[in-house]
Amino acid sequence: MSASYRHIEVPPRGQKISVVDGKPQVPDQPIVGYVEGDGIGPDITRACLRIWDAAVAKAYGGKRQIHWCEVFLGEKAARLYDGNYCPDETIQALRDLVVSIKGPLTTPVGGGFRSLNVALRQDLDLYACVRPVRHYAGVPSPLKNPGKVDVVIFRENTEDVYTGIEFKAGSPENDKLAKFLREELQARFFDGAGLGVKPISAFGSKRLVRKAIQYAIDNGRESVTLVHKGNIMKFTEGAFRNWGYEVARDEFGGVTITEEQLYGEFKGKQPAGKIVIKDRIADIMFQMMLLRPEEFDVLATMNLNGDYLSDAIAAEVGGVGIAPGANIGDAVAVFEATHGTAPKYAGLNKVNPGSLLFSGVMMLEYMGWSEAADLITLVYPEVVSDGIVTYDFARQIDGAREVSTSAFADALIERMQGGVDVEAKRRAQQEQLIKERKQREIRRLLQPTEEMIATGRVPHSVGDLMTRSLITVAEIESIETVMGVMADNGVSSVVVDPDARGQWGILTRRDIVTKVVQGNRNPATTTVGELASRPVVSVPAETTIRDAAALLTEKKISRLPIEQSGRIIGIVTETDLFNSIKKFGWSLE
Ligand code: NAP
């Protein structure tokens, strides 16, 4: 760590947190950075530091302690660093300290200033914005069953339409780009349109989805949902979805299955230790988070969808006022209150510390200090349910007692110190979780199609529809034997093992009927190799239903083997496509 900061005083006791293989290595006496923030920042930070310290002391009996190191951003930084709202040494300290937490910051109005939050994300490459959203008993909510909401949103932070590649209508740059798009790429759009670019890369998408899946693994989560509008924006949003599935398959193949496999191969029963990777169109996701929120767990989104979705879901369970968040990269994590500086309440000791408080809970979990984190999450609903709340909740709860920020912190600390049976509460929560997962599983087993429709699943690639229980036969088998296999299994085709040139083949009932009868052959002495069609027309699992339908028509065939890494892993037929359209409809693209 840099020894010579100008204004930052590193606590003399305490050790630095490090990162090994992307995971924080946290000593028992870690140094953690904090930024007090502007406006209401000092009020909520003061209260939260006391609560976090009390939770750690209670959970570890003095064995562990956070050594706080104040770093400066925003107005406080400007006062100390000659008007500089975002000093270089603060960025360096956040990098050195690895884990930090910050209150809200005022973005100075006027030209020449980057938003401080944007500056932090860019300078520290904090590419994942992580927002857990769950309901705490007692917190007012517009939903009938807000307890069913418990998701963690991983929003990509560095790409999408937020990269600022925008050209104002009428500007010379806009004219140049419009001319290029029209003349070179035959693009069509109205005259005088403002133009923006939406970059979505494999690199950016994969590192975000990788983090989301890793989180799901580390926290025993059930599924990761890739949220996108790939039906409309195929090469950006659709590509995000495909790259997401690719990461799951290539890097987490042993611990993930697709939703298609869940319903197909596993008949709706989720195998132990496997996380389901699924995807949803963004607009359906908004509906689902109101109608069937319990179906969703970890969400991975691009920047714009994630921005809308995280605030909308937070509003379902008590408003953005208490929603926590963090911006996390490979080497640094900055946890933060998600609301602003609420300047009219600055210094009044009045506002709700919930957003910063739960960001700290996330931080404790990130550090592996879940016992301290659990103490806070378990005690919080008890205090709120007793009607001890800040002004914002008091105005929504009949008979509530409005208290100040610091008095709310006192009540929480007092409750923690009064003794909480964390183990018993955690066990009860776990049992409830298992019960709910079982109920969902039973619904999938009993009514798979209804469940798929009710949970917003729309198949869109052949991988979603293919039959995996393939029958393969060797080319030296006799036709008579294979006819028996087909009849016994009720299938109309079999896949034939590769020949000497490595080409897979296919043998259909129609091949047998036409070639045996017209060729006047004896089924007992004719081999599969003689009648099989080779090479097969096969496609990757990601092939869209539209492209598959076009191929079937063009090649005048009725089934397509699905290949992956040189192997045939399934088969999709015209009947499968027909059934899918019948069950799920066909949304116009
Ligand atoms: P805001 O500060 O979030 O305040 C809007 C309203 O939200 C407040 O008036 C208050 O509602 C409620 N609120 C916010 N925090 C609360 C809390 N802790 N407890 C209870 N109620 C709370 O949004 P803003 O007024 O649009 O923005 C003010 C400044 O904050 C701007 O300079 C903006 O740039 C900055 N900002 C910073 C961040 C950040 O640093 N992460 C984020 C957003 C905005 P009532 O009036 O109904 O009581």
Side-chain angles (χ1 to χ4, degrees), residues 433-466:
L433 195 74
I434 291 170
K435 198 172 117 199
E436 287 169 8
R437 285 186 182 179
K438 201 82 222 155
Q439 284 166 349
R440 285 196 285 281
E441 186 165 284
I442 290 169
R443 286 205 299 263
R444 285 196 303 267
L445 286 165
L446 293 181
Q447 301 184 303
T449 306
E450 287 78 355
E451 274 306 286
M452 284 192 239
I453 294 168
T455 61
R457 179 166 180 246
V458 184
H460 35 101
S461 70
V462 288
D464 287 332
L465 304 178
M466 69 181 168

Side-chain angles (χ1 to χ4, degrees), residues 38 40 44 75 102-109 115-117 121 320-322 336-345 350-356 390-393 395 405:
D38 301 325
I40 55 173
I44 56 174
E75 289 165 358
K102 68 180 250 313
L105 295 168
T106 309
T107 291
V109 184
S115 146
L116 291 175
N117 295 314
R121 278 173 217 160
V320 286
I322 65 157
E336 65 173 8
T338 54
H339 54 69
T341 55
K344 66 183 175 188
Y345 297 124
K350 182 178 172 76
V351 296
N352 194 335
S355 177
L356 189 65
T390 46
Y391 84 95
D392 51 325
F393 283 1
R395 65 190 173 189
T405 311

Side-chain angles (χ1 to χ4, degrees), residues 30-295:
I31 302 171
V32 171
Y34 78 95
V35 176
E36 195 180 62
D38 301 325
I40 55 173
D43 279 349
I44 56 174
T45 302
R46 248 191 316 272
C48 289
L49 287 172
R50 285 199 293 126
I51 301 170
W52 299 323
D53 282 344
V56 169
K58 176 78 183 169
Y60 307 113
K63 184 174 166 282
R64 287 178 168 170
Q65 186 194 344
I66 294 177
H67 298 264
W68 297 102
C69 174
E70 184 171 8
V71 296
F72 308 98
L73 282 166
E75 289 165 358
K76 196 164 181 182
R79 286 196 294 276
L80 283 170
Y81 296 85
D82 315 315
N84 189 350
Y85 282 75
C86 186
D88 289 346
E89 78 167 22
T90 298
I91 299 291
Q92 187 54 43
L94 293 173
R95 197 175 282 127
D96 289 342
L97 293 169
V98 177
V99 174
S100 304
I101 188 158
K102 68 180 250 313
L105 295 168
T106 309
T107 291
V109 184
F113 289 107
R114 275 191 301 172
S115 146
L116 291 175
N117 295 314
V118 172
L120 285 188
R121 278 173 217 160
Q122 289 176 345
D123 293 353
L124 297 169
D125 196 21
L126 305 174
Y127 60 82
C129 174
V130 187
R131 300 269 297 264
V133 191
R134 55 168 287 201
H135 183 247
Y136 291 94
V139 173
S141 151
L143 290 195
K144 271 196 222 148
N145 290 310
K148 292 188 171 185
V149 178
D150 183 3
V151 294
V152 182
I153 303 157
F154 280 72
R155 165 187 164 199
E156 207 289 327
N157 238 347
T158 64
E159 293 199 298
D160 208 341
V161 283
Y162 285 52
T163 41
I165 311 174
E166 284 200 311
F167 304 96
K168 190 176 170 190
S171 67
E173 294 82 5
N174 179 298
D175 290 345
K176 202 167 164 182
L177 180 60
K179 186 167 171 340
F180 174 79
L181 289 171
R182 288 195 172 110
E183 291 177 6
E184 304 285 326
L185 302 176
Q186 286 72 51
R188 294 176 56 195
F189 45 88
F190 290 126
D191 278 342
L195 296 173
V197 177
K198 177 183 174 77
I200 301 285
S201 69
F203 173 75
S205 303
K206 285 186 171 185
R207 67 177 179 172
L208 185 274
V209 175
R210 187 178 296 124
K211 238 189 189 9
I213 297 177
Q214 191 60 53
Y215 176 90
I217 294 169
D218 293 344
N219 292 277
R221 293 285 183 151
E222 193 179 27
S223 67
V224 175
T225 305
L226 309 167
V227 182
H228 62 93
K229 282 288 290 181
N231 53 337
I232 307 292
M233 291 168 270
K234 294 185 176 44
F235 307 124
T236 49
E237 305 246 342
F240 171 84
R241 167 191 179 274
N242 293 345
W243 286 320
Y245 278 117
E246 226 172 276
V247 172
R249 192 185 64 217
D250 296 348
E251 300 178 26
F252 299 95
V255 285
T256 61
I257 57 168
T258 62
E259 192 176 34
E260 189 285 322
Q261 282 176 290
L262 174 68
Y263 279 100
E265 204 173 325
F266 298 102
K267 310 275 180 265
K269 194 167 170 51
Q270 185 157 350
K274 303 271 189 194
I275 290 159
V276 177
I277 309 295
K278 51 189 176 184
D279 74 284
R280 291 291 181 274
I281 304 288
D283 36 345
I284 293 171
M285 199 61 217
F286 280 86
Q287 293 177 43
M288 285 298 129
M289 283 311 300
L290 288 167
L291 302 174
R292 295 284 285 261
E294 69 275 23
E295 298 290 338

